[in-house]
Amino acid sequence: EKDGHDWFMRKEIFEQPRAVADSLLGRRGVDGRLQLDEMRLSDQELRDITKIIIIACGTSFYAGMVAKYAIEHWCRIPVEVELASEFRYRDPILDYSTLVVAISQSGETADTLQAIRHARTQRSKVLAICNTNGSTIPRESDAVIYTHAGPEIGVASTKGFLTQLVACYLLALYLAQVKGTRFGDEIDQVLGQLEAMPEQIEKVLALAPDVYALAREHVQSRSVLFLGRHAGYPVALEGALKLKELAYLHAEGFAAGELKHGPIALVEEGLPVLCVVPPRGRDQLHDKMLSGIQEVRARGARTLCLAEEGDEQVAPYADELIRLPRVPVLLQPLVAVVPLQLFACELATALGYDVDQPRNLAKSVTVE
Ligand code: F6R
């Protein structure tokens, strides 16, 4: 049942190319344009949206952070991302022109469910991104984008996360198509890049032995930091969460630009810092990230860098370097998170912990 793997989690990590491919299946109409069959909101309803609030918990919240970058960039609609447990208790501003997007793998998370119930009392439309057919959250939503990860057994979300990212990109592209904020050609191009992702993820999975070796070198670590920028920031947060929940290690993710505003004080000799390096582009993201890496390294950190193929600038500052395929910055989370999942899984295994059933955690959190 685990296909020869020791853990469901490991099996599910390796299923990700298939899960991503399945979540992209059937999304193009005969004319090649993007279609979402469970959308159920009319084009006019979507054009009337002036604000989007994404609500979710845990890993699903990090998918929502990536969605914010994608939706604001492609659709020019303001997006807030909020933890479901905070949302309902702060008297949020909602009305009929607000679209609430609830992201939940299980579709049963109590905090998220209560949040959408509240949103609906305020006449907001609710769209669910969910992996579980017929679960409560999609049943109580106006529209659904189902992910097709298949059942996720490991308590730590892996393929659930990647397919949520896919659904978020599809939603962003669909809104851009309906609102006309992007040309069809560009939407088509990004869809093509998404369709090439399963192959890119396979390339990252082929590096598993290197990542495992790296993880085993860190069994003695007491603390691990994760740095990212832009879409790599939620990846850093997700990498840290995986390590906390599986290896019971102190792990924290930061936006690299925040280092000098406090976290750099944590850096001491030998501290492992995992750095998600953005692709080289026209913006200054990549170079800014490099200076962050230099700063922590100058203070004794051991830098473990994930950087795209061909990025030679990072090499002198990387104590360890894992190569990612070259993909656009917004899509990079789909490849960058995979080594972090493998790292946490292997480190927890080496420490002798139960990766599929971490202590104190439940797969679906049905109490608030
Ligand atoms: C982390 C993890 C949790 C869930 C969170 C939300 O690996 O699995 O943080 O992401 O409990 O669950 P769903 O997506 O089912 O609402």
Side-chain angles (χ1 to χ4, degrees), residues 57-60 104-106 109 155-157 164 241-242 245 365:
C57 306
T59 292
S60 303
S104 175
Q105 188 283 128
S106 63
T109 300
V155 163
S157 184
Q164 286 168 345
L241 180 63
K242 290 280 99 85
E245 59 183 340
V365 185

Side-chain angles (χ1 to χ4, degrees), residues 149-184:
E152 194 177 55
I153 313 279
V155 163
S157 184
T158 52
K159 61 178 183 170
F161 180 64
L162 256 69
T163 58
Q164 286 168 345
L165 291 174
V166 169
C168 290
Y169 296 130
L170 291 174
L171 172 63
L173 293 172
Y174 190 78
L175 289 170
Q177 180 174 286
V178 169
K179 289 183 74 97
T181 47
R182 292 283 159 169
F183 290 119

Side-chain angles (χ1 to χ4, degrees), residues 162-297:
L162 256 69
T163 58
Q164 286 168 345
L165 291 174
V166 169
C168 290
Y169 296 130
L170 291 174
L171 172 63
L173 293 172
Y174 190 78
L175 289 170
Q177 180 174 286
V178 169
K179 289 183 74 97
T181 47
R182 292 283 159 169
F183 290 119
D185 287 358
E186 184 179 353
I187 295 172
D188 189 61
Q189 188 197 353
V190 181
L191 268 176
Q193 288 163 341
L194 277 173
E195 285 159 350
M197 275 299 160
E199 216 175 297
Q200 310 284 27
I201 298 165
E202 288 288 3
K203 290 187 202 156
V204 183
L205 289 171
L207 305 175
D210 301 340
V211 179
Y212 292 160
L214 198 58
R216 287 191 296 262
E217 281 173 34
H218 287 88
V219 283
Q220 309 285 2
S221 300
R222 301 285 313 279
S223 173
V224 182
L225 301 188
F226 292 74
L227 297 182
R229 282 192 89 107
H230 194 270
Y233 170 39
V235 173
L237 296 173
E238 169 64 0
L241 180 63
K242 290 280 99 85
L243 209 53
K244 281 177 206 150
E245 59 183 340
L246 301 175
Y248 317 143
L249 261 179
H250 171 248
E252 259 193 281
F254 298 106
E258 276 292 293
L259 269 176
K260 51 189 166 301
H261 301 290
I264 198 154
L266 288 168
V267 177
E268 54 189 21
E269 195 59 38
L271 177 79
V273 181
L274 259 146
C275 308
V276 183
V277 183
R280 293 154 302 164
R282 269 161 299 171
D283 46 40
Q284 293 181 5
L285 278 178
H286 176 267
D287 296 353
K288 294 262 150 107
M289 184 71 199
L290 276 196
S291 64
I293 296 173
Q294 282 169 257
E295 276 165 28
V296 294
R297 197 158 183 271

